[in-house]
Amino acid sequence: MLYIGSHVSFTKNSQLLGSLEEALSYGANTFMFYTGAPQNTNRSNIDYNLTQEAIKLMKSNNIDISKVIVHAPYIINLCNPEKFDFSVKFLTEEVKRVSDLGVKYLVLHPGSHVGLGVEKGISNIILGLKKVFESTSCNVTILLETMAGKGTEIGRNLEEIKTIIDSVNNERLGVCLDTCHLHDAGYDLTKFDEFLNEFDNIIGIDKIKCIHINDSKNVIGSHKDRHENIGFGKIGFDTLLNVIYNDKLVDIPKILETPYVDDKPPYKYEIEMIKNKRFTKYNN
Ligand code: FE
Ligand code: FE
Ligand code: ZN
């Protein structure tokens, strides 16, 4: 079954219920949100009643909460020694919030080594993740996102992700692919079956639990990380469709993180195009 949705907002007053309602308005059957602003770590407590209401509304709309995704704020950086303790503490609290919401998956950018070097950066990530898993016992799985390799980002190739996964060695650790990031990192998505074989050999395909579907504003290998609307970028509609409908990834939730067009979310149109398997130039 196709699970397709987008990034949606999450506000203090409507929480999971508001996120769900926004997703439903796009014709989505899954969604992803930050539990507050992505660029800061101010978070409010999860409201039990709103969560229960959301779960009820999910049931009546056949939304499977195990396909819903939370994204950790991107200022979390386990690599950076100056931010390490704060990042571990925040991530631990975030895992608990995700668990309170009944959500199973938390996407995390591995981090940026900020000049320390890849090796040191990776060993800090491993240490941080181990601490987070040790101090939480819920069944929330952290998904390391594949990155574009902008600046000093870790996770720009499968080998770096593999090193982290092997060393942490916890079944609560998986992977989130991002098509824009893979393309910008230098992976050729027109040969996606070859990529999946490579992924399977290095990490294991069963580790993929979420895929971010984005076109890219830049050419392959650019390391820029600028998302583009589906079909308007350098990856292209057919190549993205081929990822979305790949028969090895049928039950994996696919999440759009494409930019707003004229200050409006494009997700209703993009989801429709994906369901129809047909690219139509749209304007809101
Ligand atoms: Fe991300
Ligand atoms: Fe992403
Ligand atoms: Zn990105």
Side-chain angles (χ1 to χ4, degrees), residues 13-273:
N13 296 325
S14 64
Q15 300 199 350
L16 187 62
L17 184 62
S19 304
L20 170 64
E21 283 168 344
E22 184 181 341
L24 291 173
S25 79
Y26 301 147
N29 60 357
T30 181
F31 54 99
M32 180 179 82
F33 58 95
Y34 293 81
T35 60
Q39 64 277 17
N40 71 40
T41 50
N42 305 325
R43 295 295 184 266
S44 37
N45 290 329
I46 300 306
D47 183 296
Y48 178 80
N49 291 325
L50 284 171
T51 304
Q52 290 308 307
E53 247 184 276
I55 287 170
K56 232 186 272 167
L57 188 58
M58 278 188 212
K59 280 190 183 132
S60 60
N61 281 281
N62 288 317
I63 306 279
D64 179 354
I65 197 165
S66 76
K67 305 296 177 186
V68 173
I69 311 289
V70 171
H71 198 308
Y74 39 74
I75 60 159
I76 292 296
N77 187 3
L78 292 171
C79 293
N80 186 347
E82 283 163 35
K83 280 188 166 183
F84 184 82
D85 290 340
F86 165 78
S87 294
V88 167
K89 183 171 173 280
F90 181 88
L91 203 54
T92 303
E93 290 162 2
E94 183 79 342
V95 165
K96 288 175 184 157
R97 267 189 295 274
V98 172
S99 170
D100 286 347
L101 288 163
V103 171
K104 220 179 142 200
Y105 296 113
L106 174 62
V107 170
L108 175 72
H109 293 179
S112 293
H113 68 70
V114 292
L116 284 174
V118 172
E119 244 176 84
K120 191 75 191 117
I122 286 180
S123 66
N124 288 344
I125 295 169
I126 292 165
L127 192 67
L129 287 172
K130 281 185 175 170
K131 281 179 184 281
V132 172
F133 287 131
E134 272 162 24
S135 53
T136 53
S137 56
C138 47
N139 82 40
V140 173
T141 297
I142 292 178
L143 306 180
L144 297 172
E145 181 164 355
T146 60
M147 302 309 289
K150 192 176 68 179
T152 61
E153 274 173 353
I154 305 277
R156 64 202 159 132
N157 60 48
L158 300 184
E159 289 76 11
E160 290 179 3
I161 305 258
K162 176 199 167 58
T163 304
I164 300 168
I165 288 190
D166 284 357
S167 306
V168 175
N169 188 24
N170 192 309
E171 68 223 1
R172 287 166 61 200
L173 191 57
V175 177
C176 172
L177 302 179
D178 182 310
T179 54
C180 170
H181 298 175
L182 288 172
H183 165 93
D184 284 21
Y187 290 101
D188 184 356
L189 297 178
T190 63
K191 297 177 179 128
F192 190 63
D193 285 317
E194 281 174 34
F195 169 80
L196 272 188
N197 282 336
E198 190 185 339
F199 189 99
D200 198 33
N201 289 332
I202 297 175
I203 297 172
I205 200 167
D206 56 309
K207 288 283 179 194
I208 302 172
K209 306 294 185 190
C210 177
I211 309 179
H212 290 167
I213 303 292
N214 302 304
D215 214 324
S216 172
K217 285 194 195 292
N218 293 289
V219 293
I220 183 167
S222 64
H223 304 294
K224 290 257 174 65
D225 190 7
R226 302 266 325 273
H227 299 185
E228 180 56 284
N229 293 100
I230 302 306
F232 287 89
K234 296 282 191 271
I235 302 175
F237 189 74
D238 292 341
T239 299
L240 290 170
L241 215 58
N242 197 36
V243 173
I244 294 165
Y245 287 100
N246 189 287
D247 53 16
K248 287 180 178 158
L249 304 168
V250 265
D251 287 325
I252 308 299
K254 321 284 185 334
I255 305 287
L256 299 160
E257 301 173 299
T258 49
Y260 274 35
V261 179
D262 297 327
D263 295 323
K264 287 183 207 113
Y267 306 126
K268 190 172 189 285
Y269 300 92
E270 292 188 331
I271 288 170
E272 216 165 82
M273 286 197 297

